[in-house]
Amino acid sequence: MTRTTPARPISVEAVFPELAAERGRTTRLHPRPGRPGMRDSHVGGPVLWPDDEPWPVCHEPHRRETEGYAPHEIRIARAAGAWPPSRPWPGAEVLDEGEPVPFVGLAQLFRRDVPALASGPDGADLVQLFRCPFTHGPRPERRYRLRWRRADETERAAGFLATPSQVPLLRWEHELPEPCVLHPEEVDTYPWAEDDTLPAPLIARIDAWEDAQTSEHGPDALSYQGDLSIPPGWRVGGFPSWASTGPMGIDCASCATPVRLLLTAGSSEMDADSHSWVPMEDRDPSLRGQASIRGGLSVAQPTRLRFGRDRDLHVFTCPADPGHPTRWVLA
């Protein structure tokens, strides 16, 4: 089934004509629980991984763990609408701080499914996203990894890995992605309005307009950030959202070129401030507003993943050389 973003409640360019020059495009991925295959673009499904390649492993020191959740019990609990039981770490020893840990495959995207996906090194058109299931350092921090491939070459491999390496327990239930099929859709977007993301006079007018909306409509008021600029959830390209951190200037660590947004992985596909973006196919046409949304967690949090404290994970790459180190930002 396709997913169709509703028309915006108002035309933002009619209110702020200057934004026509700032308009961009993003591909909303619209993940929904399903049964994707390894040759599909997906979140949480089987990764297309040749069986003669070692599965990616995190070798950095990580926090010691003494308990967690078994992946198969997480799946059973989700199907039952329950919470999985916490288990002590198996064996006589807890997970050692220096022990290598297999990465968890979070997503893979083919450009044939998402034409707006930027090219990787040597024209790679398949990107795979991984995360270490444990935290690192006192803050604590996470470790992510991208693997770029050429899809045509990879699909000619003699065999593929059926069961990736994994740790026996995950520290948190939300470390395990729910297998989701994708429904890519391109939509118009506009930059986040804060600091120097737009001209200062324009940001001042947007702020004044939002204040007037709140005075007139109260809690049902429209907002530029929530309803008109950037959709929530998983998306490719477009503009980063900066709800938690405020805008950040980010350059390539190798060549100082300003990086571009490759991918945003969202903790949620909607919240109270962004429910107007929920697709028409996930709504009851007889109802209006947030009350019309159907599907529960399968619509609001389909992947079951969390990034930070329900933030967005922005993945940036260097436009001058996509082989340069990836930049990861939680915002």
Side-chain angles (χ1 to χ4, degrees), residues 58 60-65 95 97 101 132-143 171-172 175:
C58 180
E60 296 187 39
H62 46 263
R63 299 182 66 178
R64 298 171 67 89
E65 303 293 348
L95 180 68
E97 189 171 306
V101 172
C132 177
F134 301 113
T135 55
H136 302 72
R139 299 188 59 171
E141 298 178 348
R142 308 306 301 269
R143 297 292 183 266
R171 183 62 188 91
W172 305 105
E175 300 298 333

Side-chain angles (χ1 to χ4, degrees), residues 1-181:
M1 179 186 292
T2 60
R3 290 295 188 274
T4 310
T5 298
R8 295 301 77 215
I10 63 169
S11 169
V12 68
E13 292 181 19
V15 181
F16 306 104
E18 306 98 309
L19 284 172
E22 306 288 347
R23 184 194 317 136
R25 298 285 279 178
T26 191
T27 302
R28 303 189 68 189
L29 297 181
H30 296 305
R32 296 294 184 271
R35 300 181 64 182
M38 67 171 58
R39 288 178 170 81
D40 299 325
S41 295
H42 60 67
V43 174
V47 176
L48 187 71
W49 194 270
D51 58 10
D52 60 353
E53 291 186 25
W55 185 256
V57 172
C58 180
H59 293 280
E60 296 187 39
H62 46 263
R63 299 182 66 178
R64 298 171 67 89
E65 303 293 348
T66 59
E67 60 182 359
Y69 300 91
H72 73 281
E73 292 184 329
I74 294 175
R75 301 250 186 249
I76 292 171
R78 286 177 180 173
W83 193 261
S86 178
R87 303 289 187 191
W89 201 265
E93 301 292 333
V94 300
L95 180 68
D96 185 75
E97 189 171 306
E99 184 179 341
V101 172
F103 278 91
V104 175
L106 299 188
Q108 71 176 14
L109 301 174
F110 292 85
R111 191 180 305 118
R112 65 191 180 213
D113 301 322
V114 188
L117 182 69
S119 294
D122 301 319
D125 57 351
L126 164 60
V127 65
Q128 297 164 329
L129 174 65
F130 300 88
R131 177 169 70 179
C132 177
F134 301 113
T135 55
H136 302 72
R139 299 188 59 171
E141 298 178 348
R142 308 306 301 269
R143 297 292 183 266
Y144 296 90
R145 179 175 294 183
L146 283 188
R147 177 65 164 92
W148 286 100
R149 299 180 183 276
R150 291 183 61 94
D152 57 348
E153 294 176 357
T154 305
E155 290 178 318
R156 291 197 296 268
F160 300 98
L161 188 63
T163 306
S165 302
Q166 64 178 20
V167 290
L169 299 177
L170 298 170
R171 183 62 188 91
W172 305 105
E173 181 270 346
H174 58 253
E175 300 298 333
L176 183 69
E178 186 71 12
C180 287
V181 296

Side-chain angles (χ1 to χ4, degrees), residues 118-121 148 251-262 315-327:
S119 294
W148 286 100
D251 295 333
C252 175
S254 294
C255 67
T257 301
V259 293
R260 68 183 170 195
L261 181 63
L262 173 73
V315 183
F316 294 94
T317 57
C318 177
D321 186 343
H324 285 170
T326 306
R327 301 298 300 271

